[in-house]
Amino acid sequence: MSSSSSSSSLPSSQPPPPTTTATTSTTIQIPVGILGATGTVGQRFITLLQNHPYFVVRTLGASPRSAGKPYAEAAARSWKQSVPIPAHVASLVVQECDPAAFVGCRVIFSGLDSDVAGTVEARFVAHDFAVLSNAKNHRMSPLVPLIVPVVNADHFQQIVDVQRSSSAAGNPLLASLAPHLVGTPEASIAASESSLKNGFLITNANCSTTGLVVPLKALQDAFGPISRCVVTTLQAVSGAGYPGVPTLDIIDNVVPYISGEEEKMEVEAAKILGSFDRATNAFVDAPGMKVSATCNRVFVLDGHTECVSLEFARRPAPSVGAVIAALEAYRCDAQALGCPSAPQRAIVVTKAVDRPQPRLDRETERGYAVTVGRVRPCNVFDVKFTLLSHNTVLGAAGSAILNAEVAVAKGLIK
Protein backbone atom coordinates (compact mmCIF):
# COMPACT_ATOMS: atom_id res chain seq x y z
CA MET A 1 0.00 0.00 0.00
CA SER A 2 1.21 3.48 -0.73
CA SER A 3 1.18 5.57 2.42
CA SER A 4 0.76 9.20 3.29
CA SER A 5 3.99 8.88 5.23
CA SER A 6 5.85 7.66 2.13
CA SER A 7 9.36 8.94 1.51
CA SER A 8 8.62 9.43 -2.20
CA SER A 9 9.81 12.70 -3.68
CA LEU A 10 7.32 15.51 -3.30
CA PRO A 11 5.98 17.77 -6.04
CA SER A 12 8.41 20.64 -6.56
CA SER A 13 5.55 23.11 -6.36
CA GLN A 14 5.01 22.34 -2.70
CA PRO A 15 6.94 23.64 0.34
CA PRO A 16 9.08 21.19 2.30
CA PRO A 17 7.16 19.37 5.02
CA PRO A 18 7.28 20.95 8.47
CA THR A 19 9.11 19.27 11.29
CA THR A 20 6.63 17.19 13.25
CA THR A 21 7.66 17.78 16.82
CA ALA A 22 5.61 18.85 19.79
CA THR A 23 7.01 22.05 21.23
CA THR A 24 4.30 22.14 23.86
CA SER A 25 1.42 19.86 24.72
CA THR A 26 -0.79 21.83 22.33
CA THR A 27 1.63 22.95 19.61
CA ILE A 28 2.43 20.44 16.89
CA GLN A 29 2.75 20.67 13.13
CA ILE A 30 0.82 18.12 11.10
CA PRO A 31 0.83 18.67 7.32
CA VAL A 32 -2.64 18.65 5.80
CA GLY A 33 -4.21 18.81 2.37
CA ILE A 34 -7.49 20.39 1.31
CA LEU A 35 -9.65 18.96 -1.48
CA GLY A 36 -12.05 21.34 -3.19
CA ALA A 37 -9.86 24.20 -2.03
CA THR A 38 -11.34 26.87 -4.30
CA GLY A 39 -14.96 26.25 -3.22
CA THR A 40 -16.88 27.85 -0.38
CA VAL A 41 -16.08 25.11 2.16
CA GLY A 42 -12.48 24.83 0.96
CA GLN A 43 -12.02 28.56 1.47
CA ARG A 44 -13.39 28.29 4.99
CA PHE A 45 -10.91 25.47 5.70
CA ILE A 46 -8.11 27.80 4.64
CA THR A 47 -9.21 30.68 6.87
CA LEU A 48 -9.83 28.47 9.92
CA LEU A 49 -6.49 26.68 9.54
CA GLN A 50 -4.46 29.88 9.42
CA ASN A 51 -2.10 29.84 12.43
CA HIS A 52 -3.66 26.61 13.68
CA PRO A 53 -1.65 25.06 16.55
CA TYR A 54 -1.92 21.50 15.15
CA PHE A 55 -2.27 21.68 11.39
CA VAL A 56 -0.39 23.43 8.60
CA VAL A 57 -1.73 23.59 5.05
CA ARG A 58 0.71 21.86 2.74
CA THR A 59 -1.21 20.90 -0.43
CA LEU A 60 -4.33 22.22 -2.14
CA GLY A 61 -6.45 20.23 -4.56
CA ALA A 62 -9.14 21.39 -6.95
CA SER A 63 -10.54 20.73 -10.43
CA PRO A 64 -8.30 20.27 -13.47
CA ARG A 65 -9.11 23.80 -14.64
CA SER A 66 -7.54 25.19 -11.43
CA ALA A 67 -4.63 22.75 -11.24
CA GLY A 68 -1.23 24.15 -12.10
CA LYS A 69 -2.09 27.70 -11.03
CA PRO A 70 -1.01 29.47 -7.85
CA TYR A 71 -3.95 29.44 -5.46
CA ALA A 72 -4.29 33.24 -5.56
CA GLU A 73 -4.86 33.01 -9.31
CA ALA A 74 -7.10 29.94 -9.19
CA ALA A 75 -9.35 31.50 -6.53
CA ALA A 76 -9.15 35.09 -7.78
CA ARG A 77 -12.84 35.25 -8.76
CA SER A 78 -14.33 32.78 -6.31
CA TRP A 79 -12.69 33.95 -3.03
CA LYS A 80 -15.57 35.34 -0.97
CA GLN A 81 -14.19 35.31 2.56
CA SER A 82 -14.02 38.51 4.61
CA VAL A 83 -10.24 38.19 5.04
CA PRO A 84 -7.51 38.04 2.36
CA ILE A 85 -6.04 34.75 1.20
CA PRO A 86 -3.22 33.90 3.64
CA ALA A 87 0.15 34.66 2.06
CA HIS A 88 1.57 31.15 2.50
CA VAL A 89 -1.51 29.66 0.83
CA ALA A 90 -1.72 32.20 -1.99
CA SER A 91 1.56 30.98 -3.50
CA LEU A 92 0.81 27.25 -3.30
CA VAL A 93 0.33 25.68 -6.71
CA VAL A 94 -3.04 23.93 -6.90
CA GLN A 95 -2.90 20.20 -7.63
CA GLU A 96 -5.44 17.85 -9.10
CA CYS A 97 -7.22 15.76 -6.46
CA ASP A 98 -4.92 12.78 -6.91
CA PRO A 99 -3.37 11.03 -3.89
CA ALA A 100 0.07 11.08 -5.56
CA ALA A 101 0.10 14.89 -5.34
CA PHE A 102 -0.54 14.82 -1.57
CA VAL A 103 2.41 12.69 -0.47
CA GLY A 104 3.67 14.12 2.82
CA CYS A 105 0.21 15.10 4.07
CA ARG A 106 -1.18 13.10 6.96
CA VAL A 107 -4.67 14.57 7.08
CA ILE A 108 -7.00 15.35 4.19
CA PHE A 109 -9.87 17.80 4.64
CA SER A 110 -12.45 17.39 1.90
CA GLY A 111 -14.73 20.20 0.77
CA LEU A 112 -15.51 18.45 -2.52
CA ASP A 113 -18.89 18.57 -4.22
CA SER A 114 -20.88 15.38 -3.84
CA ASP A 115 -20.74 14.60 -7.55
CA VAL A 116 -17.03 13.74 -7.25
CA ALA A 117 -16.43 13.24 -3.52
CA GLY A 118 -17.42 9.57 -3.32
CA THR A 119 -14.66 8.27 -5.56
CA VAL A 120 -11.99 10.85 -4.77
CA GLU A 121 -12.27 10.41 -0.99
CA ALA A 122 -12.23 6.62 -1.34
CA ARG A 123 -9.01 6.84 -3.36
CA PHE A 124 -7.31 8.82 -0.59
CA VAL A 125 -8.45 6.35 2.09
CA ALA A 126 -7.02 3.51 -0.01
CA HIS A 127 -3.65 5.25 0.20
CA ASP A 128 -3.88 5.32 4.02
CA PHE A 129 -4.72 8.99 4.47
CA ALA A 130 -6.91 10.17 7.34
CA VAL A 131 -9.84 11.75 5.48
CA LEU A 132 -12.34 14.13 7.10
CA SER A 133 -15.18 14.83 4.72
CA ASN A 134 -17.84 17.50 4.50
CA ALA A 135 -19.60 15.73 1.61
CA LYS A 136 -22.75 13.63 1.90
CA ASN A 137 -21.55 10.58 -0.05
CA HIS A 138 -20.33 8.37 2.79
CA ARG A 139 -22.38 9.73 5.71
CA MET A 140 -24.85 6.87 5.93
CA SER A 141 -22.35 4.06 5.32
CA PRO A 142 -22.53 1.51 8.16
CA LEU A 143 -18.76 1.72 8.65
CA VAL A 144 -18.43 5.51 8.49
CA PRO A 145 -19.23 7.66 11.52
CA LEU A 146 -21.27 10.81 11.14
CA ILE A 147 -19.74 13.04 13.78
CA VAL A 148 -20.68 16.48 15.04
CA PRO A 149 -17.67 17.12 17.28
CA VAL A 150 -19.64 18.88 20.02
CA VAL A 151 -22.19 16.03 20.09
CA ASN A 152 -20.90 12.50 19.47
CA ALA A 153 -17.11 12.48 19.48
CA ASP A 154 -17.40 9.27 21.53
CA HIS A 155 -18.13 7.46 18.23
CA PHE A 156 -14.54 8.10 17.12
CA GLN A 157 -12.43 5.50 18.87
CA GLN A 158 -14.73 2.53 18.40
CA ILE A 159 -15.34 2.94 14.69
CA VAL A 160 -11.78 3.93 13.73
CA ASP A 161 -10.54 0.73 15.37
CA VAL A 162 -12.97 -1.19 13.17
CA GLN A 163 -12.02 0.79 10.05
CA ARG A 164 -8.36 -0.09 10.56
CA SER A 165 -8.92 -3.72 11.49
CA SER A 166 -8.00 -6.74 9.41
CA SER A 167 -9.64 -10.09 8.77
CA ALA A 168 -9.35 -13.03 6.41
CA ALA A 169 -11.70 -11.15 4.08
CA GLY A 170 -9.50 -8.04 4.12
CA ASN A 171 -10.05 -4.57 5.50
CA PRO A 172 -13.75 -3.85 6.10
CA LEU A 173 -13.59 -0.14 5.24
CA LEU A 174 -11.72 -0.69 2.00
CA ALA A 175 -14.15 -3.46 1.09
CA SER A 176 -17.10 -1.13 1.69
CA LEU A 177 -15.46 1.55 -0.48
CA ALA A 178 -14.73 -0.86 -3.35
CA PRO A 179 -17.79 0.19 -5.42
CA HIS A 180 -16.47 3.77 -5.44
CA LEU A 181 -13.08 2.57 -6.70
CA VAL A 182 -14.19 0.61 -9.75
CA GLY A 183 -12.06 1.69 -12.70
CA THR A 184 -9.50 3.53 -10.55
CA PRO A 185 -5.87 2.57 -9.85
CA GLU A 186 -6.86 2.01 -6.21
CA ALA A 187 -9.29 -0.84 -6.99
CA SER A 188 -6.49 -3.37 -6.57
CA ILE A 189 -5.54 -1.87 -3.18
CA ALA A 190 -9.08 -2.27 -1.88
CA ALA A 191 -9.07 -5.89 -3.01
CA SER A 192 -5.68 -6.83 -1.59
CA GLU A 193 -4.89 -4.82 1.54
CA SER A 194 -5.83 -6.34 4.88
CA SER A 195 -5.61 -3.28 7.12
CA LEU A 196 -5.06 0.45 7.39
CA LYS A 197 -2.29 1.86 9.58
CA ASN A 198 -2.97 5.60 9.59
CA GLY A 199 -6.06 6.05 7.48
CA PHE A 200 -9.72 6.44 8.34
CA LEU A 201 -12.82 8.13 6.96
CA ILE A 202 -14.90 10.48 9.10
CA THR A 203 -17.82 12.57 7.88
CA ASN A 204 -19.42 15.60 9.45
CA ALA A 205 -23.12 16.25 9.14
CA ASN A 206 -25.20 18.39 6.87
CA CYS A 207 -25.07 22.04 8.00
CA SER A 208 -28.70 22.24 9.11
CA THR A 209 -28.55 18.87 10.87
CA THR A 210 -25.49 20.05 12.80
CA GLY A 211 -27.25 22.99 14.39
CA LEU A 212 -30.25 20.87 15.33
CA VAL A 213 -28.51 17.95 17.03
CA VAL A 214 -26.47 20.03 19.48
CA PRO A 215 -29.42 21.09 21.68
CA LEU A 216 -31.15 17.75 21.04
CA LYS A 217 -28.09 15.96 22.45
CA ALA A 218 -28.10 18.13 25.57
CA LEU A 219 -31.79 17.42 26.15
CA GLN A 220 -31.49 13.70 25.36
CA ASP A 221 -28.66 13.36 27.89
CA ALA A 222 -30.65 15.20 30.54
CA PHE A 223 -34.17 13.87 30.02
CA GLY A 224 -33.96 10.70 27.98
CA PRO A 225 -35.19 9.91 24.47
CA ILE A 226 -36.85 12.46 22.23
CA SER A 227 -39.84 10.93 20.47
CA ARG A 228 -40.79 13.61 17.95
CA CYS A 229 -39.15 16.73 16.56
CA VAL A 230 -40.52 19.17 14.00
CA VAL A 231 -38.05 21.70 12.59
CA THR A 232 -38.39 24.53 10.08
CA THR A 233 -35.14 26.02 8.77
CA LEU A 234 -34.25 29.46 7.40
CA GLN A 235 -30.96 28.71 5.66
CA ALA A 236 -28.30 31.17 4.50
CA VAL A 237 -27.27 31.49 0.87
CA SER A 238 -23.66 30.52 1.59
CA GLY A 239 -24.95 27.01 2.20
CA ALA A 240 -25.60 26.73 -1.53
CA GLY A 241 -21.93 27.35 -2.38
CA TYR A 242 -20.61 29.64 -5.09
CA PRO A 243 -22.10 31.06 -7.30
CA GLY A 244 -25.11 29.75 -5.39
CA VAL A 245 -28.73 30.83 -5.69
CA PRO A 246 -29.39 33.25 -8.60
CA THR A 247 -29.92 36.84 -7.50
CA LEU A 248 -33.41 37.11 -8.97
CA ASP A 249 -34.47 33.96 -7.13
CA ILE A 250 -33.43 35.06 -3.65
CA ILE A 251 -33.64 38.87 -3.35
CA ASP A 252 -37.02 39.90 -1.89
CA ASN A 253 -37.88 36.22 -1.63
CA VAL A 254 -37.85 32.97 0.33
CA VAL A 255 -37.32 29.73 -1.57
CA PRO A 256 -39.27 26.96 0.22
CA TYR A 257 -37.25 24.08 -1.19
CA ILE A 258 -33.63 22.90 -0.90
CA SER A 259 -32.99 19.69 -2.79
CA GLY A 260 -32.32 16.73 -0.48
CA GLU A 261 -32.05 18.87 2.64
CA GLU A 262 -35.14 17.69 4.47
CA GLU A 263 -34.30 14.04 3.90
CA LYS A 264 -30.76 14.56 5.21
CA MET A 265 -31.99 16.16 8.41
CA GLU A 266 -34.53 13.43 9.05
CA VAL A 267 -32.09 10.52 8.74
CA GLU A 268 -28.80 12.06 9.91
CA ALA A 269 -30.10 13.21 13.29
CA ALA A 270 -31.06 9.66 14.27
CA LYS A 271 -27.61 8.29 13.40
CA ILE A 272 -25.74 11.06 15.22
CA LEU A 273 -27.86 10.74 18.37
CA GLY A 274 -27.71 6.95 18.26
CA SER A 275 -24.97 4.58 19.41
CA PHE A 276 -22.38 2.16 18.08
CA ASP A 277 -23.00 -1.54 18.65
CA ARG A 278 -19.69 -3.33 19.14
CA ALA A 279 -21.32 -6.74 18.69
CA THR A 280 -22.40 -5.99 15.14
CA ASN A 281 -19.91 -3.20 14.33
CA ALA A 282 -22.80 -1.04 13.22
CA PHE A 283 -24.46 2.21 14.23
CA VAL A 284 -27.86 2.04 15.89
CA ASP A 285 -30.23 4.96 15.35
CA ALA A 286 -31.65 6.83 18.32
CA PRO A 287 -34.61 4.61 19.25
CA GLY A 288 -38.08 5.89 18.46
CA MET A 289 -37.05 9.40 17.40
CA LYS A 290 -38.90 10.85 14.41
CA VAL A 291 -37.84 14.11 12.78
CA SER A 292 -39.94 16.13 10.33
CA ALA A 293 -38.06 18.93 8.55
CA THR A 294 -39.12 21.80 6.29
CA CYS A 295 -36.20 23.67 4.75
CA ASN A 296 -36.17 27.17 3.26
CA ARG A 297 -33.48 29.30 1.62
CA VAL A 298 -33.50 32.94 2.79
CA PHE A 299 -31.62 36.10 1.87
CA VAL A 300 -28.99 35.87 4.64
CA LEU A 301 -25.26 35.47 3.95
CA ASP A 302 -24.20 33.18 6.82
CA GLY A 303 -26.08 31.53 9.68
CA HIS A 304 -28.87 28.96 9.65
CA THR A 305 -31.90 29.69 11.83
CA GLU A 306 -34.12 26.78 12.90
CA CYS A 307 -37.48 26.79 14.67
CA VAL A 308 -37.84 23.57 16.67
CA SER A 309 -40.71 21.88 18.50
CA LEU A 310 -40.09 18.59 20.27
CA GLU A 311 -41.67 15.95 22.45
CA PHE A 312 -39.95 13.81 25.08
CA ALA A 313 -40.68 10.10 25.40
CA ARG A 314 -40.76 10.18 29.20
CA ARG A 315 -43.65 11.60 31.18
CA PRO A 316 -43.94 14.04 32.78
CA ALA A 317 -41.99 16.25 30.39
CA PRO A 318 -39.39 18.61 31.85
CA SER A 319 -40.35 22.20 32.58
CA VAL A 320 -39.09 25.08 30.47
CA GLY A 321 -36.80 26.06 33.32
CA ALA A 322 -35.31 22.56 33.45
CA VAL A 323 -34.80 22.59 29.66
CA ILE A 324 -32.96 25.92 29.84
CA ALA A 325 -30.79 24.68 32.71
CA ALA A 326 -29.86 21.52 30.77
CA LEU A 327 -28.92 23.52 27.69
CA GLU A 328 -26.76 25.90 29.71
CA ALA A 329 -25.03 23.07 31.58
CA TYR A 330 -24.15 21.01 28.51
CA ARG A 331 -20.51 20.10 27.95
CA CYS A 332 -19.00 17.89 25.26
CA ASP A 333 -15.94 15.68 24.77
CA ALA A 334 -14.18 18.21 22.54
CA GLN A 335 -14.21 20.67 25.45
CA ALA A 336 -13.02 18.08 27.97
CA LEU A 337 -10.17 17.04 25.65
CA GLY A 338 -8.95 20.65 25.41
CA CYS A 339 -9.27 20.87 21.62
CA PRO A 340 -8.08 24.32 20.50
CA SER A 341 -11.17 25.08 18.39
CA ALA A 342 -13.68 23.82 20.96
CA PRO A 343 -16.03 26.53 22.19
CA GLN A 344 -16.08 27.43 25.87
CA ARG A 345 -19.85 26.97 25.61
CA ALA A 346 -21.23 24.60 23.00
CA ILE A 347 -24.72 26.04 23.60
CA VAL A 348 -25.36 29.67 24.42
CA VAL A 349 -28.86 30.41 25.71
CA THR A 350 -30.14 33.92 25.14
CA LYS A 351 -33.03 35.32 27.16
CA ALA A 352 -33.66 38.18 24.70
CA VAL A 353 -37.14 37.91 23.18
CA ASP A 354 -35.91 38.68 19.65
CA ARG A 355 -32.79 36.49 19.53
CA PRO A 356 -30.98 34.62 18.07
CA GLN A 357 -30.45 36.58 14.86
CA PRO A 358 -27.94 35.63 12.14
CA ARG A 359 -26.15 38.98 11.95
CA LEU A 360 -25.87 39.31 15.73
CA ASP A 361 -25.22 35.73 16.84
CA ARG A 362 -23.54 33.67 14.11
CA GLU A 363 -20.01 34.51 15.31
CA THR A 364 -20.71 33.44 18.91
CA GLU A 365 -17.75 31.38 20.16
CA ARG A 366 -16.04 32.02 16.79
CA GLY A 367 -18.89 30.24 15.02
CA TYR A 368 -18.44 26.96 16.93
CA ALA A 369 -21.45 27.35 19.25
CA VAL A 370 -25.19 27.03 18.76
CA THR A 371 -27.24 29.92 20.12
CA VAL A 372 -30.66 28.95 21.48
CA GLY A 373 -33.43 31.41 22.33
CA ARG A 374 -37.20 31.76 22.76
CA VAL A 375 -37.43 28.57 24.83
CA ARG A 376 -41.08 28.20 25.74
CA PRO A 377 -43.92 25.67 26.13
CA CYS A 378 -45.39 24.12 22.99
CA ASN A 379 -49.15 23.61 22.71
CA VAL A 380 -48.72 20.57 20.46
CA PHE A 381 -45.53 18.96 21.80
CA ASP A 382 -43.60 19.74 25.00
CA VAL A 383 -41.21 22.59 24.27
CA LYS A 384 -40.19 24.82 21.39
CA PHE A 385 -37.25 27.11 20.71
CA THR A 386 -35.27 28.89 18.01
CA LEU A 387 -31.61 28.10 17.33
CA LEU A 388 -28.87 29.61 15.20
CA SER A 389 -25.63 28.02 13.99
CA HIS A 390 -22.87 29.18 11.66
CA ASN A 391 -23.34 26.99 8.62
CA THR A 392 -19.80 27.19 7.23
CA VAL A 393 -17.97 26.99 10.58
CA LEU A 394 -19.66 24.50 12.91
CA GLY A 395 -21.91 23.41 10.03
CA ALA A 396 -19.08 22.59 7.63
CA ALA A 397 -15.31 23.19 7.68
CA GLY A 398 -15.13 23.93 11.40
CA SER A 399 -16.68 20.59 12.29
CA ALA A 400 -14.12 18.72 10.18
CA ILE A 401 -11.25 20.64 11.79
CA LEU A 402 -12.60 20.09 15.30
CA ASN A 403 -13.11 16.41 14.46
CA ALA A 404 -9.45 16.24 13.46
CA GLU A 405 -8.44 17.89 16.73
CA VAL A 406 -10.44 15.26 18.62
CA ALA A 407 -8.64 12.57 16.62
CA VAL A 408 -5.28 14.06 17.61
CA ALA A 409 -6.33 14.18 21.28
CA LYS A 410 -7.41 10.53 21.10
CA GLY A 411 -4.14 9.46 19.48
CA LEU A 412 -5.76 8.56 16.16
CA ILE A 413 -3.67 11.11 14.23
CA LYS A 414 0.00 11.23 15.13
Side-chain angles (χ1 to χ4, degrees):
M1 176 185 297
S2 96
S3 170
S4 57
S5 60
S6 167
S7 59
S8 301
S9 60
L10 302 175
S12 59
S13 58
Q14 305 302 306
T19 302
T20 311
T21 56
T23 56
T24 72
S25 61
T26 57
T27 303
I28 53 180
Q29 292 285 279
I30 297 172
V32 306
I34 300 172
L35 305 177
T38 58
T40 300
V41 176
Q43 292 176 22
R44 184 63 76 171
F45 275 125
I46 289 169
T47 61
L48 293 176
L49 288 169
Q50 186 174 14
N51 301 318
H52 194 279
Y54 291 2
F55 307 118
V56 59
V57 176
R58 173 180 168 68
T59 309
L60 303 173
S63 66
R65 68 177 178 272
S66 297
K69 301 175 183 176
Y71 184 77
E73 178 183 346
R77 295 189 62 187
S78 63
W79 184 264
K80 300 301 176 186
Q81 304 304 305
S82 59
V83 295
I85 299 172
H88 76 285
V89 170
S91 60
L92 289 179
V93 174
V94 177
Q95 307 295 311
E96 292 195 36
C97 295
D98 187 314
F102 287 73
V103 172
C105 296
R106 279 186 279 153
V107 176
I108 302 296
F109 293 110
S110 174
L112 290 169
D113 290 336
S114 60
D115 56 348
V116 298
T119 293
V120 173
E121 292 170 0
R123 292 184 64 201
F124 276 81
V125 174
H127 285 278
D128 210 23
F129 289 94
V131 177
L132 297 108
S133 170
N134 188 70
K136 68 180 182 180
N137 304 67
H138 301 291
R139 285 176 184 159
M140 302 312 295
S141 168
L143 282 174
V144 177
L146 180 55
I147 296 180
V148 175
V150 294
V151 173
N152 62 328
D154 57 310
H155 287 182
F156 250 110
Q157 189 74 51
Q158 297 171 315
I159 190 60
V160 170
D161 289 346
V162 174
Q163 287 188 354
R164 290 176 174 172
S165 67
S166 62
S167 68
N171 175 261
L173 179 59
L174 293 178
S176 73
L177 294 175
H180 295 278
L181 297 172
V182 173
T184 71
E186 289 74 26
S188 60
I189 296 176
S192 63
E193 288 296 337
S194 61
S195 65
L196 293 170
K197 180 180 178 182
N198 302 303
F200 57 72
L201 176 58
I202 303 295
T203 61
N204 49 278
N206 179 54
C207 48
S208 52
T209 306
T210 298
L212 175 65
V213 295
V214 180
L216 293 193
K217 171 65 171 174
L219 299 177
Q220 178 180 273
D221 285 355
F223 307 114
I226 293 165
S227 56
R228 293 188 290 179
C229 173
V230 174
V231 55
T232 299
T233 71
L234 308 169
Q235 295 182 223
V237 293
S238 59
Y242 180 82
V245 184
T247 302
L248 291 179
D249 287 345
I250 196 64
I251 290 180
D252 190 33
N253 202 22
V254 172
V255 180
Y257 175 72
I258 304 173
S259 178
E261 198 80 357
E262 293 166 0
E263 295 83 357
K264 292 175 195 173
M265 292 192 73
E266 290 170 358
V267 299
E268 290 180 8
K271 181 175 180 178
I272 294 164
L273 296 173
S275 58
F276 183 73
D277 183 359
R278 263 300 203 180
T280 60
N281 285 338
F283 289 97
V284 179
D285 286 351
M289 186 177 75
K290 294 182 179 180
V291 176
S292 178
T294 300
C295 296
N296 305 275
R297 187 74 70 193
V298 299
F299 193 35
V300 169
L301 180 59
D302 288 317
H304 287 354
T305 302
E306 304 180 28
C307 302
V308 182
S309 295
L310 59 85
E311 178 183 72
F312 296 95
R314 295 176 185 170
R315 304 282 96 185
S319 67
V320 168
V323 166
I324 291 173
L327 294 171
E328 291 179 325
Y330 178 70
R331 284 185 57 81
C332 63
D333 284 354
Q335 294 168 296
L337 291 167
C339 296
S341 297
Q344 289 188 341
R345 298 168 296 170
I347 300 171
V348 175
V349 178
T350 174
K351 305 295 174 62
V353 296
D354 60 348
R355 301 278 282 274
Q357 297 180 27
R359 191 169 55 185
L360 301 179
D361 297 303
R362 61 193 170 207
E363 298 295 342
T364 299
E365 296 281 359
R366 299 163 290 111
Y368 283 93
V370 174
T371 302
V372 176
R374 304 204 65 221
V375 185
R376 59 208 191 277
C378 177
N379 290 334
V380 177
F381 295 152
D382 293 327
V383 67
K384 56 186 176 181
F385 54 83
T386 302
L387 68 85
L388 178 81
S389 61
H390 198 305
N391 55 293
T392 67
V393 182
L394 184 63
S399 262
I401 292 169
L402 188 47
N403 276 337
E405 294 172 6
V406 171
V408 170
K410 290 178 175 286
L412 301 173
I413 297 173
K414 299 178 181 178

